[in-house]
Amino acid sequence: MTSLELLSPARNLECGICAIDHGADAVYIGASKFGARAAAGNSIEDITTLCRYAHQFGAKVYVTVNTVIYDNEMHETVELVRQIEKAGADAILLQDMGLLEELRHNGIGITIHASTQTDNRTADKVRWLASLGMRRVVLARELSVEEIAEIHRAVPEVELEVFVHGALCVSYSGQCYASQLCFNRSANRGECAQFCRMTFDLIDADGKEIERSRHLLSLRDMAQIDNMERLADAGAVSFKIEGRLKNTDYVKNVTAAYSERLNDICKRNPQKFRRASMGRCTYTFTPNIQKSFNRGFTTYFADGRQAPLASIDTPKALGEHVGRVKEIRGNSFNVSSTTAFSNGDGLCFFDKSRQLIGLRVNKAEGNRLYPLSMPKGLLPGTTLYRNHDHAFETLLSKPSSSRRVSIDMTLHITDGSLILDITDEHGHTRTATMPYEPQTAMKPQEENIRKQLAKLGATIYTPRNISIISDVERPFISNSLLSELRRKAVETSPLTSQSVNTRIAETKANSGIHIDNAPLPYLYNAANQKAQAFYDGMGIKATAFETSGKSSTSGNGRTLIMQCRYCIKAELGLCAKRDNNTSDKPSRPATLRWKEPLTLRLVPGGRTFTLRFNCNKCEMEILT
């Protein structure tokens, strides 16, 4: 039977606890430094607290240490990982091969997961990472369900983690250098300036504007909630929600929605799947991913290339579609919709120039809405979206979930002792024993014994079955003794324990398992001498963009700063290639012609970037 893990983001301790409470089987969180979100750091003390909380449910905590490391930071990073291991974390996510070597050299045995920053697209890459001691590999977001299945068939012994929800980077992870080049903020150092959310003009070689002031690299958000079972059948075991900068409301809602879907999959396939942790949640709200921050949703490349993938009109959140403006009268308007509105709702719409306009509902009387101020550009027939549901957010701002682990309790009553066995949902059992001098009750006590043992209200447990096996005829046991036995059984030690860490395997650079040579040395992201020596042992001269990339070129004196499966030509219906992997419904007239190379021009500023299309691989590259 395969255990399926829902993996939720934790910006901080509070978010991590909320994720566990709302159904996560694991959370990933940044430490004080060296995580891929520099703005989301946490103390070792908070990570320790989160581990203790999560392990009650058999849930796990993974800590991100997945930036590239500079030479002067290596000792500090190794010591940080040592502290993370002592804190009880179940694994770290890692990108830097120099750090991997140093952890092995220092005998630090925490489990290692290969971050998506190591650019994991092929079975060969996954096999190579596994040969280095990686227990799990986080796959590239761009892979299709069938590509994931092919990787699993090739390396079935490796755990595969896939992204299922949240923001999408337009470049393959770990292969984007735009932020470093333009703003001296490295995405591989957790400081991405979100270059892909900016505004661009698209220009051909003759200077003709094909698109003007559009967010041509800004992708929609991923939502694979309807593909979860297919992904599980393909071999994925961990389903990752993006969002380590998101607040608790986002984490609560999205985690709950995906947890409910996983529960349904496991319920329908009891011989194939089970949840990786214990406990079931009850919610005060109905989970709905449309109500949390999103730029519109896409399944990305789950079933091949299917436009639209981008949100080229705005990088901001649209939210859920709530209807159309029916009629405008004075300082109010009526909406053609079955949606219930509330005072304080936030709505938005696109005006005639495709600019996103927001408004706040000051008063709602059914479908008659009175905005705080009547926005310009609002017309009858305008499509409305709600990006802030005041009533829903109010529910989420309060305690909104209760997670309880079902247990079976068996009380053995013998001449001289009381023995209480507690067995959890995953079959783990522990025992508490207390001395007992047999006494005979005036009347049967079984109902009272069960009642006292079932008093688990202050704990995370709920009784499923309570059995009594007695060698004593009609025993009497005081309520205080039963309470003490129950407390001892529940509180002495957790029912579950964290996974046993395994030692990092010896590096097998000469084992015959190799990766293909990257076309440019900085694509290996080797920012320290240890990483460079690691690749030297494989006959590869590797560097990092942050230390030498600006002097590296990819033909014609241009520097490669992004590699993308997303393609602007395909998105705009300008792709000349027509097969099963491209949209056959172009949005532009067939008579439109342009001269390549195409250029992106940053607005404002005017800095330009050349687009190069590798149609054989169905990929796009962005160069300076």
Side-chain angles (χ1 to χ4, degrees), residues 237-288:
V237 297
S238 182
F239 306 94
K240 189 171 196 171
I241 297 168
E242 174 67 72
R244 259 196 317 121
L245 296 179
K246 294 293 193 292
N247 61 21
T248 56
D249 292 353
Y250 181 95
V251 171
K252 288 179 177 182
N253 181 38
V254 178
T255 299
Y258 278 83
S259 183
E260 288 195 332
R261 185 60 58 91
L262 270 186
N263 284 343
D264 179 63
I265 292 169
C266 293
K267 183 177 180 180
R268 288 187 287 101
N269 300 276
Q271 303 305 314
K272 289 171 60 178
F273 304 124
R274 74 171 188 178
R275 293 297 295 271
S277 66
M278 300 181 301
R280 292 299 174 261
C281 302
T282 55
Y283 306 112
T284 64
F285 64 100
T286 301
N288 182 348

Side-chain angles (χ1 to χ4, degrees), residues 445-618:
Q445 294 290 301
E446 285 195 7
E447 182 178 347
N448 181 66
I449 290 172
R450 287 190 171 88
K451 179 180 178 181
Q452 295 303 317
L453 292 178
K455 291 183 177 179
L456 297 163
T459 72
I460 65 169
Y461 306 110
T462 184
R464 181 168 50 190
N465 298 300
I466 301 177
S467 302
I468 301 173
I469 301 173
S470 178
D471 295 338
V472 178
E473 185 176 354
R474 207 163 63 190
F476 171 79
I477 308 172
S478 68
N479 289 349
S480 60
L481 188 58
L482 288 169
S483 296
E484 179 64 15
L485 181 66
R486 183 195 66 235
R487 185 199 63 77
K488 184 178 180 181
V490 170
E491 297 179 4
T492 300
S493 61
L495 281 171
T496 59
S497 61
Q498 69 185 89
S499 61
V500 177
N501 291 330
T502 57
R503 292 286 164 185
I504 300 171
E506 292 291 326
T507 301
K508 300 179 181 178
N510 297 315
S511 66
I513 300 175
H514 297 289
I515 54 172
D516 294 334
N517 286 347
L520 295 166
Y522 63 78
L523 297 178
Y524 291 100
N525 297 326
N528 56 73
Q529 294 179 19
K530 292 289 184 180
Q532 290 162 6
F534 169 85
Y535 285 110
D536 279 345
M538 301 174 64
I540 295 171
K541 295 299 180 183
T543 60
F545 191 92
E546 290 76 6
T547 56
S548 63
K550 291 181 182 180
S551 62
S552 300
T553 62
S554 178
N556 299 321
R558 298 191 178 104
T559 300
L560 176 66
I561 60 170
M562 279 190 186
Q563 299 178 69
C564 315
R565 199 168 201 176
Y566 167 78
C567 175
I568 286 177
K569 289 201 293 186
E571 184 71 12
L572 297 177
L574 301 175
C575 178
K577 184 177 180 181
R578 291 288 182 264
D579 58 28
N580 292 332
N581 295 320
T582 58
S583 171
D584 59 0
K585 296 179 180 179
S587 59
R588 297 308 176 91
T591 55
L592 181 62
R593 295 290 182 267
W594 66 94
K595 183 177 179 181
E596 295 194 24
L598 301 181
T599 299
L600 287 176
R601 182 172 61 202
L602 187 61
V603 180
R607 188 166 189 170
T608 59
F609 305 88
T610 300
L611 300 181
R612 184 166 64 192
F613 301 94
N614 186 339
C615 293
N616 289 331
K617 295 176 65 177
C618 216

Side-chain angles (χ1 to χ4, degrees), residues 14 18 22 248-249 252 284-285 390-401:
E14 181 186 10
C18 284
H22 288 75
T248 56
D249 292 353
K252 288 179 177 182
T284 64
F285 64 100
H390 183 73
F392 189 74
E393 296 294 334
T394 298
L395 284 175
L396 290 179
S397 68
K398 303 173 182 177
S400 52
S401 177

Side-chain angles (χ1 to χ4, degrees), residues 163 172 215 287 343 352 407 428 493 600:
F163 283 89
Y172 288 111
H215 299 275
N343 299 348
K352 283 187 173 181
I407 56 174
H428 304 130
S493 61
L600 287 176

Side-chain angles (χ1 to χ4, degrees), residues 265-500:
I265 292 169
C266 293
K267 183 177 180 180
R268 288 187 287 101
N269 300 276
Q271 303 305 314
K272 289 171 60 178
F273 304 124
R274 74 171 188 178
R275 293 297 295 271
S277 66
M278 300 181 301
R280 292 299 174 261
C281 302
T282 55
Y283 306 112
T284 64
F285 64 100
T286 301
N288 182 348
I289 61 173
Q290 296 283 350
K291 291 183 179 294
S292 289
F293 182 100
N294 70 84
R295 302 174 178 89
F297 288 126
T298 175
T299 57
Y300 210 23
F301 290 96
D303 294 291
R305 189 179 300 280
Q306 296 184 6
L309 299 177
S311 176
I312 63 176
D313 289 319
T314 179
K316 298 179 180 179
L318 292 179
E320 58 180 333
H321 175 262
V322 291
R324 294 179 178 272
V325 176
K326 185 176 181 180
E327 171 257 349
I328 297 175
R329 185 171 64 233
N331 64 344
S332 69
F333 59 92
N334 197 36
V335 183
S336 177
S337 174
T338 58
T339 301
F341 296 96
S342 301
N343 299 348
D345 279 354
L347 305 180
C348 59
F349 65 93
F350 289 105
D351 64 15
K352 283 187 173 181
S353 62
R354 299 300 296 168
Q355 295 297 308
L356 188 66
I357 308 298
L359 64 95
R360 181 182 182 275
V361 177
N362 196 42
K363 182 172 67 173
E365 295 179 348
N367 284 12
R368 171 66 57 179
L369 306 182
Y370 295 80
L372 192 62
S373 60
M374 186 64 72
K376 295 181 180 179
L378 188 67
L379 301 171
T382 298
T383 298
L384 291 173
Y385 302 89
R386 178 164 59 187
N387 52 18
H388 176 75
D389 185 330
H390 183 73
F392 189 74
E393 296 294 334
T394 298
L395 284 175
L396 290 179
S397 68
K398 303 173 182 177
S400 52
S401 177
S402 175
R403 182 169 179 170
R404 293 289 181 266
V405 176
S406 295
I407 56 174
D408 295 327
M409 309 175 78
T410 301
L411 176 64
H412 301 269
I413 306 172
T414 67
D415 187 356
S417 64
L418 298 176
I419 305 169
L420 180 60
D421 292 330
I422 295 180
T423 303
D424 65 29
E425 296 170 3
H426 285 177
H428 304 130
T429 300
R430 67 180 182 184
T431 300
T433 303
M434 294 187 67
Y436 170 65
E437 184 176 338
Q439 300 179 52
T440 302
M442 298 288 293
K443 57 182 179 179
Q445 294 290 301
E446 285 195 7
E447 182 178 347
N448 181 66
I449 290 172
R450 287 190 171 88
K451 179 180 178 181
Q452 295 303 317
L453 292 178
K455 291 183 177 179
L456 297 163
T459 72
I460 65 169
Y461 306 110
T462 184
R464 181 168 50 190
N465 298 300
I466 301 177
S467 302
I468 301 173
I469 301 173
S470 178
D471 295 338
V472 178
E473 185 176 354
R474 207 163 63 190
F476 171 79
I477 308 172
S478 68
N479 289 349
S480 60
L481 188 58
L482 288 169
S483 296
E484 179 64 15
L485 181 66
R486 183 195 66 235
R487 185 199 63 77
K488 184 178 180 181
V490 170
E491 297 179 4
T492 300
S493 61
L495 281 171
T496 59
S497 61
Q498 69 185 89
S499 61
V500 177

